[in-house]
Every structure is written in structure tokens, then in C-alpha cells.
Amino acid sequence: MPVPPAPPEHRMLPDVPVLLLGGDRDLVTPYELLYEQAESAHHPQIVIVPGAAHSIQNRATNPAGRQAVYEFLLA
């Protein structure tokens, strides 16, 4: 089954809260990209975890990413 094309740049994501989680030392997905992605979301919440690289939830020593996910899901 073919993958559908990405929505046009002018199209917003569904009207739901979105958590964008990044690390300030992530070389794979720089946190600047989170701000670009947030432009397509209605209710973006951006969390940048200091000292974290790419695997924030399972490898970062700073618990801020896991805490942000926990709080986001319980809100």
C-alpha cells in the first residue's frame, strides 16, 4: 500500500495538543526543527531538555523530557 503524501505546507495538523520534545545536543533532529513543526500545530508545547541528545525519553540523564511527557499525557 503506498504511503499518502505529506499534507501541503499551508495545512494545519488536527486541532489537538501537540508535545514537541527535543534535546539541545541532538545532532539528528536539531531543536530548531521543533519550532518549524510547531507552526503547523494548533496547540504546540515545546520542551527542550538541556544536555539531552536524540533519545530523550530513554537515555537522557535529565528527567525533564520524561516529566514533560508525563505531565502532557495527564493534562
Side-chain angles (χ1 to χ4, degrees), residues 4-15 36-42:
E9 288 185 29
H10 67 278
R11 186 170 170 199
M12 298 287 286
L13 293 171
D15 190 6
E36 290 178 28
Q37 296 299 311
E39 294 175 11
S40 297
H42 290 275

Side-chain angles (χ1 to χ4, degrees), residues 1 5 9 23 25 30 33 40 44-46 50 54 57 59 62 64:
M1 175 176 272
E9 288 185 29
R25 296 186 182 181
L33 182 62
S40 297
Q45 178 182 344
I46 299 173
H54 191 67
Q57 293 185 59
R59 285 196 259 176
N62 185 333

Side-chain angles (χ1 to χ4, degrees), residues 14-46:
D15 190 6
V16 296
V18 175
L19 175 63
L20 299 163
L21 189 61
D24 69 348
R25 296 186 182 181
D26 188 346
L27 300 177
V28 177
T29 311
Y31 67 86
E32 292 86 1
L33 182 62
L34 301 178
Y35 293 99
E36 290 178 28
Q37 296 299 311
E39 294 175 11
S40 297
H42 290 275
H43 308 285
Q45 178 182 344
I46 299 173

